[in-house]
Amino acid sequence: MEKIKMTTPLVEMDGDEMTRIIWQSIKDQLILPFVDLKTEYYDLGLVKRDETNDQVTIDASNATKKYGVAVKCATITPNKQRMSEYNLKEMWKSPNGTIRAILDGTVFRAPIIIDSIKPAVRNWKKPITIARHAYGDVYKSVDMKVDEPGVAELVFTGESGKVQKVTVQKMNGGGILQAAHNMDKSIESFAHACFKFALDSNQDLWFSTKDTIAKVYDGNFKQIFEDVYNANYKEQFEAKGLEYFYTLIDDAVARVIRSEGGYIWACKNYDGDVMSDMVSTAFGSLAMMTSVLVSPDGKYEYEAAHGTVTKHYYRWRDGEKTSTNPMATIFAWTGAFKKRGELDNLPDLVRFGELLEQASLQTLQDGIMTKDLVALAEGKTRAVTTDEFILEIRQRLEKLI
Ligand code: NAP
Ligand code: MG
């Protein structure tokens, strides 16, 4: 069989621990036998990041800007314990944070669903994709504790010299204060990424904030979305029969629970943080959650939503055969192949991505799954190791191809 050809390389970002092991098996068993794989390889494993003073993460992000499509393995975000475990020079920043900052992107998360795993919400039939604004608000806020009566004020001094001032509160005793911000440009980028992704994936877009309470702050989010929509996307949405609508966050929550799924829910930073954990848990497993970072100028970085599965890695290192779920990592690759194929007009590459997804889903439908899913699935199931699971997918993929 002739291997499927590629023209533009994918930006490949390797990672850490159990997911690094799985990464290699996916390539060896499910990709290299079928695709004449072209990638520009960046090793984002912690050892290499430390060796290059994290330059490799910056290079990989810039390569994604250049080529447009990347696929990333999960990586360790160092903490104190990792400093000594890896004897690090510095506590390097989260690679995802660095990539997101360079691409100015928005993260979209969607679950992979199969019939035998019923979501906790009975009426959910299609995936719900959460788009989380990844800049500002409480994540970049400052706060203060005071311990006597006094006046709290919010003061802005413009470069022009103009001063704006509001009273936060006349405090009659000790208490706490917080000031948060966001930037119009970042909200605009977020809006563009959401509208583009909705058109790209043929789904409605919902956006929610609490503008009845935060009239200026959340009102600004609402207004920017509306302006960006009317100026750039309204006609395309109407032509495709898609809907954009804004609603209050509490109304959105109620609608989401009553819905069948099948739309994108755009959330402010904090709402997205909380709601994505709720939605992913209700759909089943973090191991079945896909994630893609989309920049406002249409660059894509695909990955799994979960981490490096450290506990399994330590067991693997001790010689145990683990049953770690590779689905989300496989779907990171298929997402990247489909997008690359679409951009380069390579229908065979798109088709390969679809067939690999189909083979993976078929394996699960046949009841063959990793331990994390066996606990959730209805019907007859058989728990297998990661290696066995990947081989089962390979057999089905060969038949499909
Ligand atoms: P994690 O790697 O997502 O794993 C947490 C637990 O979830 C695992 O111990 C496992 O539970 C279960 N799990 C997650 N993915 C699974 C899979 N594919 N198959 C089966 N079970 C799975 O989160 P963590 O342990 O908090 O973080 C580990 C490292 O990953 C950290 O260093 C963190 O910095 C990094 N991280 C990276 C990313 C990223 O690169 N995007 C995201 C999050 C975390 P059981 O042990 O009960 O089986
Ligand atoms: Mg969270």
Side-chain angles (χ1 to χ4, degrees):
M1 189 201 85
E2 212 180 308
K3 290 190 188 179
I4 296 157
K5 291 268 178 299
M6 296 178 63
T7 45
T8 318
L10 284 177
V11 178
E12 175 184 356
M13 307 184 198
D14 208 341
D16 289 298
E17 300 193 313
M18 204 59 222
T19 40
R20 188 180 180 97
I21 310 296
I22 291 175
W23 192 259
Q24 195 59 50
S25 310
I26 292 172
K27 280 173 69 178
D28 290 343
Q29 296 295 338
L30 302 177
I31 296 171
L32 293 172
F34 309 100
V35 180
D36 195 359
L37 184 67
K38 257 191 167 181
T39 71
E40 201 165 286
Y41 179 86
Y42 293 88
D43 184 359
L44 264 55
L46 190 49
V47 175
K48 193 72 179 184
R49 276 183 275 149
D50 195 48
E51 212 174 281
T52 63
N53 296 329
D54 210 22
Q55 186 59 39
V56 66
T57 310
I58 295 165
D59 293 345
S61 313
N62 287 326
T64 307
K65 261 188 156 167
K66 177 174 162 195
Y67 293 114
V69 185
V71 56
K72 179 180 171 291
C73 179
T75 47
I76 292 170
T77 298
N79 54 15
K80 250 179 143 179
Q81 181 259 322
R82 300 295 196 172
M83 292 285 288
S84 48
E85 184 183 355
Y86 282 82
N87 194 18
L88 300 178
K89 292 186 238 170
E90 242 182 73
M91 205 186 289
W92 305 110
K93 279 191 261 177
S94 144
N96 288 56
T98 303
I99 298 165
R100 210 155 54 204
I102 292 177
L103 292 177
D104 184 20
T106 299
V107 175
F108 295 84
R109 289 193 163 181
I112 303 163
I113 13 195
I114 56 166
D115 290 342
S116 58
I117 299 179
K118 304 270 181 267
V121 180
R122 267 172 301 161
N123 39 286
W124 286 357
K125 299 205 165 54
K126 294 181 228 161
I128 295 168
T129 303
I130 298 235
R132 172 181 169 191
H133 184 213
Y135 177 83
D137 303 345
V138 72
Y139 301 84
K140 272 206 178 293
S141 67
V142 291
D143 41 19
M144 187 194 283
K145 191 164 164 49
V146 296
D147 55 12
E148 61 171 328
V151 183
E153 291 173 325
L154 191 59
V155 183
F156 173 78
T157 311
E159 282 187 355
S160 67
K162 194 181 128 194
V163 174
Q164 281 172 263
K165 190 152 88 174
V166 294
T167 300
V168 177
Q169 180 70 23
K170 286 199 175 75
M171 313 274 288
N172 56 14
I176 40 181
L177 296 156
Q178 183 176 60
H181 83 282
N182 220 301
M183 305 292 294
D184 288 349
K185 189 166 174 292
S186 174
I187 302 168
E188 276 162 25
S189 293
F190 175 47
H192 280 289
C194 289
F195 290 120
K196 280 212 174 83
F197 193 78
L199 287 170
D200 222 36
S201 60
N202 275 313
Q203 299 184 88
D204 290 343
L205 178 69
W206 303 11
F207 179 45
S208 58
T209 73
K210 191 73 177 176
D211 70 295
T212 44
I213 301 298
K215 289 191 174 64
V216 174
Y217 199 104
D218 284 10
N220 191 54
F221 274 87
K222 179 184 177 184
Q223 191 61 49
I224 288 177
F225 262 70
E226 205 170 299
D227 293 346
V228 167
Y229 177 68
N230 287 331
N232 306 278
Y233 300 101
K234 192 168 190 282
E235 279 165 27
Q236 296 175 69
F237 266 64
E238 283 169 0
K240 285 193 152 190
L242 297 176
E243 189 185 10
Y244 163 63
F245 83 94
Y246 172 86
T247 186
L248 286 171
I249 178 87
D250 28 6
D251 177 51
V253 168
R255 284 173 188 254
V256 164
I257 297 298
R258 283 196 308 262
S259 78
E260 278 200 352
Y263 49 84
I264 298 161
W265 181 14
C267 293
K268 285 178 63 196
N269 210 350
Y270 175 80
D271 301 340
D273 185 352
V274 177
M275 292 304 161
S276 67
D277 279 345
M278 190 199 68
V279 169
S280 68
T281 308
F283 268 111
S285 164
L286 189 58
M288 296 285 276
M289 202 70 179
T290 64
S291 183
V292 54
L293 177 77
V294 183
S295 76
D297 56 346
K299 315 288 183 206
Y300 295 77
E301 183 249 312
Y302 294 86
E303 62 174 327
H306 60 77
T308 59
V309 211
T310 311
K311 282 188 208 147
H312 294 211
Y313 176 64
Y314 291 159
R315 296 209 302 264
W316 178 86
R317 233 178 21 187
D318 292 339
E320 191 185 314
K321 288 220 169 291
T322 70
S323 183
T324 316
N325 189 339
M327 283 295 287
T329 306
I330 293 172
F331 273 61
W333 279 99
T334 58
F337 283 133
K338 290 193 294 182
K339 181 51 77 179
R340 195 67 271 169
E342 180 196 314
L343 294 173
D344 293 350
N345 199 13
L346 299 171
D348 286 350
L349 194 61
V350 175
R351 182 97 188 108
F352 174 75
E354 289 167 354
L355 291 180
L356 178 50
E357 288 180 2
Q358 212 178 310
S360 308
L361 291 170
Q362 244 174 43
T363 308
L364 294 177
Q365 303 292 12
D366 292 344
I368 299 164
M369 45 187 74
T370 45
K371 275 186 191 155
D372 56 309
L373 296 185
V374 165
L376 300 169
E378 293 172 359
K380 204 166 154 267
T381 57
R382 178 157 68 90
V384 291
T385 63
T386 308
D387 291 343
E388 289 165 342
F389 183 67
I390 288 176
L391 282 179
E392 292 281 346
I393 296 174
R394 164 119 184 221
Q395 287 164 11
R396 285 165 182 78
L397 180 61
E398 276 170 1
K399 277 199 198 118
L400 287 172
I401 285 179

